[in-house]
Amino acid sequence: MNKLYDENNVFSKILRSEIPCNKILENECALSFSDINPQAPIHILIIPKNPYINFYDFSKNASIKEVELFWKLVNDVIEQVNLTTNGFRIISNCGHDGNQDVPHFHLHLLGGKNLGRMIN
Ligand code: AMP
């Protein structure tokens, strides 16, 4: 267990089924669900099931199996919600400068319209 990981964060509670989510897909190592405050017609979050704080923590410390199944789920979700043709954007906010609100690693998968320029 990473000592800096906050087990009270909202995604940790979702993983423990203490609060509900609108699940899209899951596998042994990762879970995807709708963002509660969507910023695009399609806005899905993909998270690992184990406690990693952010992209850096996950990439540095997750097992090969976790990394493989995490990215497999990302592609499975992309196919499930039909984003392969028109495209999408993936964002991962990390830390203070990335304005990360929830300290459990997650990707935002956004699509369903032209999303404009990357940063305003
Ligand atoms: P970030 O700023 O990258 O940490 O993004 C956190 C995201 O989590 C935001 O887009 C929120 O809308 C989303 N969020 C917060 N609580 C929930 C929840 N209970 N279910 C689904 N998404 C949530």
Side-chain angles (χ1 to χ4, degrees), residues 10-11 14 19 33-37 43 45 93 99-102 106 108:
V10 67
F11 296 166
I14 286 173
I19 61 173
F33 52 90
S34 302
D35 195 293
I36 205 167
N37 182 23
H43 187 170
L45 302 171
N93 298 319
N99 263 19
Q100 182 180 3
D101 281 336
V102 179
H106 51 283
H108 297 258

Side-chain angles (χ1 to χ4, degrees), residues 64-80:
I64 298 293
K65 178 181 176 182
E66 285 178 287
V67 172
E68 183 178 352
L69 285 180
F70 179 81
W71 288 108
K72 182 181 185 313
L73 191 72
V74 174
N75 257 8
D76 288 346
V77 173
I78 288 166
E79 291 173 359
Q80 172 81 16

Side-chain angles (χ1 to χ4, degrees), residues 5-53:
Y5 181 82
D6 173 13
E7 292 189 4
N8 289 318
N9 79 73
V10 67
F11 296 166
S12 186
K13 291 178 180 175
I14 286 173
L15 286 165
R16 292 194 299 269
S17 300
E18 292 173 8
I19 61 173
C21 72
N22 180 30
K23 185 170 79 176
I24 309 296
L25 290 175
E26 69 177 315
N27 63 30
E28 185 183 339
C29 294
L31 171 70
S32 62
F33 52 90
S34 302
D35 195 293
I36 205 167
N37 182 23
Q39 303 298 306
I42 296 171
H43 187 170
I44 295 168
L45 302 171
I46 301 131
I47 69 173
K49 290 186 174 178
N50 277 335
Y52 299 103
I53 298 170

Side-chain angles (χ1 to χ4, degrees), residues 94-111:
C94 180
H96 177 268
D97 283 2
N99 263 19
Q100 182 180 3
D101 281 336
V102 179
H104 181 111
F105 170 49
H106 51 283
L107 296 185
H108 297 258
L109 173 65
L110 300 143

